[in-house]
Amino acid sequence: MLKNDYIMQIINQFTEFLTQVLFRIKSGETEKTHQDIQTAAERFLGLKLDLILSLSNKELINMLSVNGEINVEKSYMAAQLLICEANIRDANNGSGSIEIYIRSLDLFLKSFGQMYEMLKIEAVPTINQILLVLRNQDLPIDIYRLLIPFYEHQGQYSKAEDCLFELVDNGFEEALQIGQSFYSRLLEKTDQELEHGNLPRSEVNEGLQELKAKVAI
């Protein structure tokens, strides 16, 4: 209990910091804000911002993991700090923001399934904002794999199916296995749940057949 209280205290402190930073970015105080992000990276993650930016996400996740398990809170904070960096670059008409948004999205999605519910509530609108920014971008194929459980968690089954067929059309090796598992879970939903997710039961069955037809078994 004490550990959980401590973690929530850190997250609350980080959220307060984040609110202030995003306000400053909108106000045009990008130089001071960039310094704040650098300070926050060291305070909350124990890493310099330049190091975070220079690492791949795989390397960063390894550094943020404990005994091989991802530190969900630190991954969440790193993803948020990357968004701040991308926002500053956008505000300064700089380059490289798209790549940083994609990195942030990847970090969010890789840890999303392990987040406790309150952190998910915090993360969902931010993830959707990133997706809006990236709506006209070609995303790495693995992002679509990660988006399937994210959209499924939101009850957005049609969007999850769209991501599945991105995998199929790009020859993703595990597309059949992922798809069959996805449709199996959907078939356990009520008709009302499926219709609310814009994927009626008839379309679930059609999608499953299309998946099998497209992917060699």
Side-chain angles (χ1 to χ4, degrees):
M1 178 65 73
L2 289 176
K3 181 180 178 182
N4 290 338
D5 288 345
Y6 173 74
I7 290 173
M8 285 307 304
Q9 182 181 0
I10 295 297
I11 291 295
N12 289 337
Q13 291 173 1
F14 180 80
T15 300
E16 290 177 10
F17 156 80
L18 194 63
T19 300
Q20 294 171 3
V21 163
L22 293 175
F23 177 78
R24 289 189 189 126
I25 293 174
K26 291 180 180 179
S27 300
E29 301 176 38
T30 54
E31 184 174 345
K32 173 64 167 62
T33 303
H34 196 262
Q35 294 173 353
D36 290 340
I37 296 172
Q38 291 174 326
T39 300
E42 295 187 47
R43 175 187 172 188
F44 291 103
L45 302 178
L47 300 173
K48 292 185 179 295
L49 180 62
D50 288 345
L51 176 60
I52 293 173
L53 293 172
S54 68
L55 294 171
S56 68
N57 271 11
K58 182 178 180 180
E59 293 169 330
L60 179 57
I61 288 173
N62 285 339
M63 292 192 72
L64 298 178
S65 297
V66 179
N67 297 325
E69 293 188 9
I70 187 170
N71 186 310
V72 172
E73 293 81 16
K74 287 191 173 182
S75 181
Y76 168 85
M77 289 188 283
Q80 291 282 18
L81 290 175
L82 286 173
I83 293 176
C84 292
E85 174 67 19
N87 286 345
I88 289 174
R89 294 191 184 197
D90 283 342
N92 291 334
N93 297 315
S95 61
S97 64
I98 293 301
E99 290 79 5
I100 297 176
Y101 282 122
I102 291 174
R103 284 195 59 190
S104 176
L105 178 62
D106 180 67
L107 280 178
F108 272 123
L109 294 176
K110 282 180 175 172
S111 58
F112 186 80
Q114 300 174 54
M115 291 180 184
Y116 45 86
E117 199 59 33
M118 186 171 293
L119 201 59
K120 284 183 179 180
I121 291 171
E122 295 285 337
V124 166
T126 307
I127 293 171
N128 285 326
Q129 288 172 9
I130 300 174
L131 289 169
L132 185 62
V133 171
L134 298 174
R135 63 190 179 280
N136 296 321
Q137 301 294 324
D138 293 326
L139 300 176
I141 189 62
D142 197 53
I143 292 290
Y144 293 104
R145 177 184 67 83
L146 296 170
L147 279 170
I148 293 172
F150 170 74
Y151 281 133
E152 190 176 348
H153 178 269
Q154 308 311 308
Q156 296 176 305
Y157 306 129
S158 178
K159 288 186 176 181
E161 185 183 51
D162 290 343
C163 292
L164 169 63
F165 279 97
E166 285 286 346
L167 300 184
V168 173
D169 293 341
N170 283 276
F172 191 78
E173 186 175 347
E174 299 175 11
L176 178 61
Q177 179 182 352
I178 292 171
Q180 288 180 322
S181 179
F182 169 66
Y183 286 121
S184 178
R185 291 191 299 273
L186 289 191
L187 288 171
E188 295 178 357
K189 305 289 183 184
T190 66
D191 289 345
Q192 185 177 7
E193 287 174 317
L194 293 176
E195 289 172 7
H196 187 71
N198 293 317
L199 200 66
R201 190 170 304 277
S202 60
E203 293 185 17
V204 172
N205 289 315
E206 289 172 7
L208 178 58
Q209 295 308 312
E210 184 179 355
L211 171 69
K212 292 179 178 178
K214 283 192 170 188
V215 181
I217 300 178

